[in-house]
Amino acid sequence: MGGFPTLLYKELLRFWKVSFQTVAAPVLTALLYLVVFAYALGDRVRMFEQVSYAQFLVPGLVMMSVLQNAFANSSSSLIQSKVSGNLVFMMLPPISYLEFFGAYVLASMVRGLVVGTGVLLVTVWFVDLHVAAPAWVLLFALLGAAILGALGLIAGIWADRFEQIAAFQNFVILPLTFLSGVFYSIHSLPALWQAASHLNPFFYMIDGFRFGFFGVSDFPPRASLAVVAVSFALLSSACLLLLRSGYKLRQ
Amino acid sequence: MVAGTPAMTFAIEALNVEKRYGALHALAGVSLAIAEGEFFGLLGPNGAGKTTLISIIAGLVRASAGQVRVMGADVVSDYRRSRRMLGVVPQELVFDPFFSVRETLRLQSGYFGLRSNDAWIDEVMHHLDLVSKADANMRTLSGGMKRRVLVAQALVHRPPVIVLDEPTAGVDVGLRQGLWQFIRRLNRDGHTIVLTTHYLEEAEELCDRIAMLKAGRIVALDSTRNLLETFSGLVLKLRLDRDALPDGLEATQISAEGGRFTLRLRDYNALEQVLHRVRETGAAIKELELEPPDLEDVFLRVMEKH
Ligand SMILES: Nc1ncnc2c1ncn2[C@@H]1O[C@H](COP(=O)(O)OP(=O)(O)OP(=O)(O)O)[C@@H](O)[C@H]1O
Ligand SMILES: [Mg+2]
């Protein structure tokens, strides 16, 4: 047996040991969003028929937490190992680039799903929610987390300093999630912005995820699934190519 | 020892290894064969390329040209086998602040696919005097303690070839002795040891064979004994009953102070000649002290020459 199970275990242990910061904090953040937006806007806004704004918001917040935390896990773990130099302990053993990819992405997915589940468990106390199609919920959550885990790994491979990861988070991940329809249905946007939203891959992740809850969405869910699956295939191929080439990790 | 048949497997074999960092030629064609069971020293001034060479052997850095094999396994195409054969103690004091000493060693075992390795981990911790720190977080250890954990990490998978990149930097005398005792034992048990150090007396005492690296090239490669005999001179300390040395000595004068002279001699013939000239001039020798050749002397001469 190779090093994969241990590397996965180490990655899980790493965020679990500081779960206050890696799980509890993002759950609280999502809850604050819910309180501020849902109660401020209340019943004046309605995105779908039969769906209150608070109900509409919860799946968006859950998915946003899944995505942001999946990204944060792989990117921060790798950059920490690079900056502190302990990456050498994972580079010396006979761990293949596939095992490396698998361990980092899977651990990211677990962190994303744990936080997402946490957000869901906390918010259902405040909002009445039914799940129309659980399989779609799970499928989009898994794929979304995998995509952001792989993206975080790419960012971690590329970056040399913590600030570069922070910049990636603030200037790429955050705008893309906020503008993807977490807080609104894109049908409420002007035509130009609606069209622009369709260029944002995060839109399909959130829209498909939301379909799982309400059975309605802005975009056909199968088409969203196709976009998300292709995004995952492209990103993981790119990441695997980087890892295989040794780019930045094995000069 | 080195001149084996072509079929012989070397512990480490490097062929024309080059490494360029932009315009810098960190390694400019290094070829080296280290036999199984050797205790080998890799010496050279700062920036000579020792760590770069070790990193290439370990697969941490890819060579710009050339090939390296560990126990016959190519470090690029057969990396799974070559890395299993190799234990490396890195020069930098690195650690993962999330884990304790025991967790660190268990994780490192797991990376090599070893799931139940606690008996060996305990033994290694015992030899490196780490038992009392087993459950301490890595962050709380002193520098020397962290260095010991690095050594332990390199040994978790019982590699036949062990490379130590300045393992005794910042380590106290007690541990240094203990560490060398342990490494020597591993060597007696058949492990090949490769060592870099700036403490030359350490290398002289431990290493069977030594390579000296300068600016990415090997400038000397021989058994420690041959190096001492070929390159090293003698240092002669002399006190005469007068303030001047006789003329025409085949020796380099290092210092002279009120009848006390320190001379560097090429060999014992030069000593004969000095004594002869002193007698000829009628001077009397009050004191005479001869220092045996040491590796530091060899090192300085080799570096001067290249
Ligand atoms: N990643 C890198 N990028 C650019 N130059 C590098 C890199 N790593 C090493 N070098 C350069 O390569 C040369 C050899 O460095 P190396 O670390 O191998 O020396 P060394 O013999 O181990 O020295 P020391 O005794 O100080 O440890 C140095 O000039 C160094 O600056
Ligand atoms: Mg070095």
Side-chain angles (χ1 to χ4, degrees), chain B residues 215-235:
Chain B
R217 282 175 208 285
I218 291 184
V219 290
L221 172 62
D222 210 332
S223 69
T224 311
R225 178 200 299 237
N226 280 347
L227 282 172
L228 288 170
E229 279 175 4
T230 323
F231 281 99
S232 188
L234 304 164
V235 174

Side-chain angles (χ1 to χ4, degrees), chain B residues 234-269:
Chain B
L234 304 164
V235 174
L236 174 68
K237 290 186 174 166
L238 204 60
R239 190 157 74 82
L240 299 180
D241 61 352
R242 59 195 66 187
D243 285 348
L245 278 175
D247 306 326
L249 292 181
E250 275 181 35
T252 323
Q253 185 169 327
I254 301 172
S255 70
E257 209 186 306
R260 288 174 188 278
F261 306 95
T262 308
L263 303 175
R264 191 197 293 283
L265 309 176
R266 202 180 329 102
D267 50 27
Y268 286 95
N269 282 335

Side-chain angles (χ1 to χ4, degrees), chain A residues 88 91-92 245-246 248-251, chain B residues 17-21 26-27 51-66 68 75-76 83:
Chain A
V88 70
M91 296 281 113
L92 286 172
S245 74
K248 292 242 181 161
L249 300 185
R250 296 185 197 273
Q251 298 128 320
Chain B
V17 175
E18 291 185 39
K19 181 66 188 178
R20 281 184 213 93
Y21 288 114
L27 291 177
T51 299
T52 304
L53 181 59
I54 289 172
S55 300
I56 290 172
I57 294 169
L60 298 173
V61 166
R62 297 217 172 128
S64 311
V68 178
V75 298
V76 177
R83 289 190 206 161

